Amino acid sequence: MIFTGHAELTIDGQHRLQIPAKIRAAWNPELHGDHWICVPWPEDGGMLRLFPAKTFQKIAADRPQSLMTSGARGRLEAQLFGMAEPLRPDSANRVKLHPMHIRQVALPKDVVVLGVNDHIEVRNRDVWMKSMDDIFSNLPQLAEEIERANREAH
């Protein structure tokens, strides 16, 4: 199951975010697990990437394993996994976002939640809505860039 679409939401005063109904409808506990893993990401003005726990575990397990991870890979793993936090939905299907994550990506209370294939992203609503026309008009160019990179890789 993939996550698609977007929803405009508000982070409450206790840092809680309601998981949108269309995302909850796509949720399969056997496939996704019972909680999310939240990873702050600095790209595009900052966002929170929420992965279903089982998806995050699968992606993590699929990477090369080593007891002696060092260099850039070691730094990335320490930073990425060190900043990742589990988020367990409450009885009202809200998750409590970590205050450090909110600060790191400068999230305001008004956000947009995007379905992004195997995860969801929480972004600044104003920034996202102001960039919608540019995002839409740049889709063909971005798709061609990805296709070209795929052809060159094979």
Side-chain angles (χ1 to χ4, degrees):
M1 183 63 70
I2 62 171
F3 301 113
T4 61
H6 77 279
E8 297 176 28
L9 298 168
T10 300
I11 298 171
D12 73 16
Q14 295 178 334
H15 304 129
R16 295 177 303 193
L17 176 70
Q18 179 78 39
I19 300 297
K22 58 183 142 191
I23 300 297
R24 293 193 315 265
W27 190 268
N28 176 339
E30 289 184 20
L31 177 66
H32 297 119
D34 64 354
H35 65 283
W36 300 90
I37 302 294
C38 181
V39 179
W41 198 252
E43 199 170 39
D44 294 333
M47 69 188 80
L48 299 178
R49 290 182 170 165
L50 278 65
F51 292 87
K54 287 188 176 183
T55 301
F56 187 85
Q57 290 166 354
K58 181 182 181 322
I59 292 168
D62 285 347
R63 66 180 176 41
Q65 302 288 319
S66 172
L67 293 174
M68 307 302 163
T69 305
S70 61
R73 178 178 294 280
R75 287 190 306 278
L76 175 63
E77 287 189 6
Q79 293 167 9
L80 183 70
F81 289 97
M83 288 190 290
E85 292 286 342
L87 304 178
R88 298 191 184 280
D90 65 15
S91 61
N93 291 304
R94 297 171 300 193
V95 292
K96 185 169 177 143
L97 301 174
H98 196 291
M100 178 185 69
H101 288 172
I102 293 171
R103 181 185 54 75
Q104 283 175 318
V105 301
L107 269 184
K109 67 178 188 161
D110 294 324
V111 297
V112 61
V113 174
L114 307 173
V116 187
N117 192 4
D118 63 352
H119 67 283
I120 62 175
E121 293 179 354
V122 183
R123 297 177 178 226
N124 180 315
R125 182 191 310 172
D126 287 341
V127 171
W128 176 258
M129 298 311 266
K130 287 176 186 172
S131 65
M132 285 296 292
D133 289 339
D134 289 338
I135 290 168
F136 180 72
S137 65
N138 288 326
L139 276 175
Q141 178 184 350
L142 181 58
E144 177 56 33
E145 183 180 321
I146 299 297
E147 288 298 317
R148 186 173 34 257
N150 286 341
R151 286 190 301 270
E152 291 170 2
H154 297 288

